[in-house]
């Protein structure tokens, strides 16, 4: 999902909600593919991003308490990102 421009907050919220539904096995959900997205400074606090594809620009993003279990974070830019208490179990960080 390479966009070249910063993702709108409303669009990000929609993607996060669809992914949460997908991760929880609820109907109408969809796995998040955020590869190439510009999420600099985004507030992803408490987000459920299990098994999401997060190869995005996450510089200065707030990922406090986010569930990143099994997420693919390959190729992400994480400089300045706040990963305090984020769950990274089985995440791919190559």
């Amino acid at each position: 999902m390479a966009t070249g421009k910063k993702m709108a907050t409303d669009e990000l919220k929609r993607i996060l909600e669809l992914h949460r539904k997908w991760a929880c096995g609820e109907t109408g959900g969809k796995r998040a593919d955020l590869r190439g997205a510009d999420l600099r400074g985004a507030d992803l606090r408490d987000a459920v991003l299990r098994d999401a594809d997060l190869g995005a620009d996450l510089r200065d993003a707030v990922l406090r308490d986010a569930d990143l279990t099994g997420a693919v974070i390959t190729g992400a830019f994480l400089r300045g990102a706040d990963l305090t208490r984020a769950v990274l179990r089985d995440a791919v960080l190559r």
Side-chain angles (χ1 to χ4, degrees):
M1 169 179 251
T3 62
K5 66 177 187 171
K6 191 154 176 66
M7 183 177 287
T9 302
D10 289 344
E11 181 182 2
L12 180 57
K13 284 181 181 180
R14 183 185 60 77
I15 290 169
L16 292 175
E17 178 56 20
L18 289 173
H19 184 80
R20 186 200 61 75
K21 285 182 175 183
W22 176 84
C24 294
E26 297 176 19
T27 59
K30 181 179 177 187
R31 182 176 182 257
D33 180 355
L34 294 165
R35 287 176 291 175
D38 183 347
L39 300 174
R40 288 175 288 170
D43 186 351
L44 299 169
R45 184 182 337 245
D46 298 312
V48 176
L49 286 164
R50 291 188 300 264
D51 299 311
D53 196 330
L54 293 174
D57 187 343
L58 292 162
R59 287 177 282 186
D60 300 316
V62 178
L63 292 151
R64 283 178 171 260
D65 300 303
D67 183 356
L68 305 173
T69 302
V72 178
I73 309 172
T74 302
F77 295 101
L78 293 166
R79 178 172 282 154
D82 181 355
L83 292 160
T84 304
R85 293 182 306 274
V87 178
L88 294 161
R89 186 178 26 256
D90 297 324
V92 179
L93 295 158
R94 285 178 250 182

